[in-house]
Amino acid sequence: EAQVTQNPRYLITVTGKKLTVTCSQNMNHEYMSWYRQDPGLGLRQIYYSMNVEVTDKGDVPEGYKVSRKEKRNFPLILESPSPNQTSLYFCASSLSGFSDQPQHFGDGTRLSIL
Amino acid sequence: DAKTTQPTSMDCAEGRAANLPCNHSTISGNEYVYWYRQIHSQGPQYIIHGLKNNETNEMASLIITEDRKSSTLILPHATLRDTAVYYCIVRVGGAQKLVFGQGTRLTINP
C-alpha cells in the first residue's frame, strides 16, 4: 500500500532532549516536506526537499533540522526541543514539488515538550 | 497564492450530495485548485485538484466556473465518514508548498 509513515505517532519528552521524528514513503517520490499544525494557525511548512541531498527552509524552520540522504526518508530533528515546539507534525510527499502534483500526508506525530 | 473563501461550517444529510463552495476571485491562470480534507487530527487527505476543467475521481467531483473565480467540491453520496474539515487551496504554478486556510467543517447527519 502506498503510504507515508511517520514515527513515533506520539511522544512526550522534556526540554533540551534531542529527538528525531522519522518519515518514510514507499512511492518513490522525489519531493518531501514537513508541516506543523497548531490551533488557530493552520498548517505551516517547516522544511522541504525537492530531491535527495536538496533541502530548503519553509516558513517556520527555527529549531529544526532535516536531512535527505535517501529518497524514501526525510527525518525531522529537534536538537534542543522547547515547549513552543509542542505541536502536531505532518510529513508529506509527492512525485515532484511542482504544483500539478498532489501531496500525500502521513498520519501525524503529536509531540509534547515539557 | 490566491486567497480562498469558504463557509466556516456546513451540514448535509447522509446519502445526499454535499456541495462545498469555494471562492477564489484573485486566482491566476496558472494556479491550481486543490481540495483536501482532515478528519479529526489525522493527516490531510488529498481529494482532487484541477486547473480549468471539471474533474471527477472515485471520491468526488470538482466543478470550476468558467471564469475560474469559484469552484465547488461535490461528494455525491455523503456518509458519516465524510464528516471532516475540507480545505480549498489555490496553488500557484511552480509553488512547492500547500497553504491551508481555515476550511469548512462539514458535518454529515444521520
Side-chain angles (χ1 to χ4, degrees), chain B residues 54-90:
Chain B
N54 298 337
E55 302 287 344
T56 295
N57 62 21
E58 65 278 4
M59 288 184 67
S61 295
L62 173 61
I63 309 298
I64 302 174
T65 58
E66 194 168 340
D67 64 6
R68 303 186 71 241
K69 292 184 177 182
S70 66
S71 60
T72 301
L73 177 75
I74 302 172
L75 307 177
H77 304 286
T79 71
L80 299 179
R81 287 176 295 180
D82 292 321
T83 293
V85 178
Y86 287 77
Y87 296 97
C88 170
I89 300 167
V90 171

Side-chain angles (χ1 to χ4, degrees), chain B residues 8-52:
Chain B
T8 303
S9 64
M10 292 182 63
D11 286 274
C12 180
E14 187 177 19
R16 303 295 294 269
N19 295 275
L20 290 89
C22 179
N23 286 322
H24 31 78
S25 58
T26 60
I27 194 170
S28 299
N30 64 346
E31 291 180 320
Y32 286 81
V33 179
Y34 274 80
W35 283 85
Y36 279 78
R37 73 181 183 184
Q38 188 173 26
I39 299 172
H40 296 300
S41 293
Q42 296 177 21
Q45 180 185 20
Y46 165 74
I47 302 173
I48 200 166
H49 75 286
L51 183 62
K52 296 179 182 177

